[in-house]
Amino acid sequence: MYQIKKEEVQYIRHNGAMIPEQLLISMAKNADTIEEARSYLISLMAHGLIFGIRDYIYKVNEIREHHHLAPIPIPEDMDDMTNGRKKYKKSPEDMAREKYKRMSEAMKNGVLKTALEEIADKRMELINKKAVWIGVYHVVHDRLDGGIVKNTFYTTAKAIEPDNWPAKFRISEDTMSNYAHHISCKDSLEAYFDMDENPFKELCDAFLEVLSRMILTNAYE
């Protein structure tokens, strides 16, 4: 059987099309109905079964939990000897996302605001236009809460905008509507870390680093 190398980009067959793994996962999380999400899960699980990628079960459970479905039980000692894959270990980003999901709305807004406050205090050079809020949106959406949408992000942004944020770069009601002026069509369905051209990459990386640290250490409380 053909063995897939760990570093290869996975293309998953779904409804006759070959879709990059991360894009399919994003589509599954953004599905309007559970039934639609399940169709992506079936394609993901089929790909994992065919090519012996056992740790896809963790990706499946991440999507299920996103849609408030119970995760599939996994043996604690599961290991993939076929492909020589090590036992799945959660990344700091994964652990931060799980902890974030358990927070109340007030706590979520609190950690986001505190992280942005640190960015404004220590990395002010990254805040050079209103459009950087598109980068903020992507970090929250792609790393913490796939259910948040651009059309309503203005309300969230106003709740998390710190007092030390430059006045001329505070978000306005039309900031997110200018999304297409900054993110190309080919990147519009991608997570920020998979974009070919992310104009806010440095801000996104800095914001994620601060967020993950604060969430995992409770440094914002």
Side-chain angles (χ1 to χ4, degrees), residues 10-220:
Q10 301 296 302
Y11 283 82
I12 299 168
R13 184 176 296 280
H14 179 74
N15 290 342
M18 299 301 292
I19 302 175
E21 172 189 311
Q22 192 58 47
L23 176 56
L24 184 134
I25 291 173
S26 178
M27 293 166 70
K29 288 183 177 180
N30 290 321
D32 292 329
T33 65
I34 292 176
E35 288 69 26
E36 181 185 350
R38 285 195 176 109
S39 71
Y40 294 112
L41 289 176
I42 291 171
S43 297
L44 187 64
M45 288 190 289
H47 184 87
L49 179 63
I50 292 170
F51 293 104
I53 309 176
R54 291 180 62 189
D55 60 8
Y56 264 21
I57 188 64
Y58 297 97
K59 299 178 187 295
V60 167
N61 276 346
E62 181 180 322
I63 296 168
R64 290 178 62 87
E65 291 175 3
H66 178 81
H67 288 283
H68 308 293
L69 297 173
I72 298 172
I74 303 172
E76 292 184 2
D77 60 349
M78 190 184 90
D79 200 357
D80 188 347
M81 300 304 294
T82 304
N83 283 336
R85 292 193 171 211
K86 295 180 180 179
K87 184 177 179 181
Y88 176 87
K89 293 183 179 180
K90 294 178 181 177
S91 67
E93 290 81 6
D94 290 335
M95 291 187 288
R97 179 171 56 251
E98 291 180 1
K99 190 170 182 180
Y100 181 86
K101 287 180 179 179
R102 296 194 295 268
M103 294 179 182
S104 66
E105 196 66 25
M107 290 178 68
K108 289 177 180 178
N109 286 346
V111 68
L112 293 174
K113 185 172 184 177
T114 304
L116 289 175
E117 185 176 52
E118 179 170 321
I119 293 295
D121 182 46
K122 298 181 179 179
R123 300 296 305 275
M124 181 65 79
E125 75 279 5
L126 299 179
I127 307 171
N128 52 20
K129 58 176 72 75
K130 287 185 178 182
V132 297
W133 283 100
I134 294 174
V136 174
Y137 158 78
H138 263 288
V139 172
V140 179
H141 176 274
D142 299 340
R143 289 298 193 181
L144 298 176
D145 183 3
I148 198 167
V149 295
K150 292 192 293 288
N151 293 343
T152 59
F153 184 66
Y154 172 76
T155 301
T156 299
K158 293 308 293 182
I160 65 175
E161 196 172 56
D163 294 338
N164 64 340
W165 198 265
K168 62 182 177 179
F169 298 139
R170 292 185 180 277
I171 194 169
S172 61
E173 293 187 16
D174 61 351
T175 299
M176 298 307 294
S177 64
N178 292 323
Y179 183 89
H181 292 297
H182 301 278
I183 304 297
S184 66
C185 182
K186 66 179 180 179
D187 283 331
S188 61
L189 291 177
E190 299 284 358
Y192 75 86
F193 43 83
D194 286 329
M195 291 179 181
D196 289 334
E197 300 177 9
N198 176 9
F200 312 108
K201 182 181 186 304
E202 193 173 359
L203 171 72
C204 290
D205 291 344
F207 184 36
L208 177 64
E209 187 280 324
V210 174
L211 264 177
S212 297
R213 167 168 47 81
M214 287 186 172
I215 293 174
L216 294 175
T217 63
N218 295 330
Y220 61 95

Side-chain angles (χ1 to χ4, degrees), residues 2-18:
Y2 170 66
Q3 299 294 310
I4 290 181
K5 296 179 181 179
K6 186 175 181 180
E7 64 271 14
E8 288 183 12
V9 175
Q10 301 296 302
Y11 283 82
I12 299 168
R13 184 176 296 280
H14 179 74
N15 290 342
M18 299 301 292

